[in-house]
């Protein structure tokens, strides 16, 4: 159902002459349990980037949970000619996904990025859109 719905949406957008960039989900921290929340973080400003906020999970674990959806997105892109933006390398350097990158908390909750983390991704989105437009 996800595949056919996404594919028909991509085809409709393309029929209007637009290029499409599909964005893979960022890693989520719902599995393995317990679900990660910012409640784990110390509220003192000086320790926001502390290890208490840093949940680390092997990318293989993230992929075991999110892999089926990622495969659908990749398949739709392959069949339709859409481009895929996969941000996992940004969030999972060296095969370890982390809720903190360079001292910046990346997640508002277990699945949603903070405003700062979102702003830090502007370059990747700009590049993906430019690349898609060039097709």
């Amino acid at each position: 159902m996800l595949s056919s719905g996404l594919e028909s949406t991509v085809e409709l957008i393309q029929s209007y002459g637009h290029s499409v960039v599909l964005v893979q989900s960022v890693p989520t921290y719902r599995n393995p349990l317990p679900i990660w929340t910012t409640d784990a973080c110390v509220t003192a400003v000086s320790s926001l980037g502390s290890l208490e906020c840093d949940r680390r999970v092997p990318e293989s674990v993230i992929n075991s949970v999110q892999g089926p959806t990622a495969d659908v997105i990749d398949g739709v892109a392959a069949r339709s000619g859409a481009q895929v933006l996969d941000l996992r390398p940004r969030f999972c350097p060296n095969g370890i996904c982390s809720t903190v990158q360079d001292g910046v908390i990346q997640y508002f909750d277990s699945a949603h990025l903070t405003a700062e983390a979102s702003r830090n991704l502007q370059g990747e989105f700009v590049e993906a859109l430019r690349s898609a437009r060039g097709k």
Side-chain angles (χ1 to χ4, degrees):
M1 181 186 274
L2 172 62
S3 181
S4 61
L6 183 57
E7 198 157 348
S8 65
T9 300
V10 168
E11 289 170 358
L12 178 63
I13 293 168
Q14 289 172 330
S15 75
Y16 288 104
H18 299 288
S19 298
V20 176
V21 177
L22 299 172
V23 181
Q24 290 286 7
S25 296
V26 296
T28 61
Y29 295 88
R30 295 181 179 142
N31 288 304
L33 294 173
I35 294 174
W36 180 88
T37 68
T38 53
D39 294 343
C41 301
V42 176
T43 57
V45 173
S46 64
S47 61
L48 279 179
S50 74
L51 292 177
E52 294 167 6
C53 290
D54 193 5
R55 175 84 175 266
R56 294 174 178 260
V57 177
E59 187 174 6
S60 60
V61 172
I62 299 292
N63 290 340
S64 71
V65 174
Q66 294 180 266
T69 303
D71 291 344
V72 167
I73 291 170
D74 287 340
V76 169
R79 289 187 298 279
S80 67
Q83 197 165 358
V84 176
L85 174 58
D86 188 353
L87 298 166
R88 284 177 290 185
R90 171 83 177 251
F91 290 94
C92 305
N94 303 313
I96 301 295
C97 304
S98 177
T99 56
V100 176
Q101 296 285 333
D102 299 322
V104 175
I105 298 173
Q106 301 295 299
Y107 289 82
F108 173 75
D109 60 19
S110 64
H112 298 93
L113 298 177
T114 62
E116 183 174 4
S118 296
R119 281 189 299 273
N120 290 339
L121 296 172
Q122 282 177 308
E124 282 90 340
F125 279 90
V126 167
E127 181 57 36
L129 293 171
R130 280 186 182 143
S131 179
R133 205 175 12 189
K135 279 187 160 182

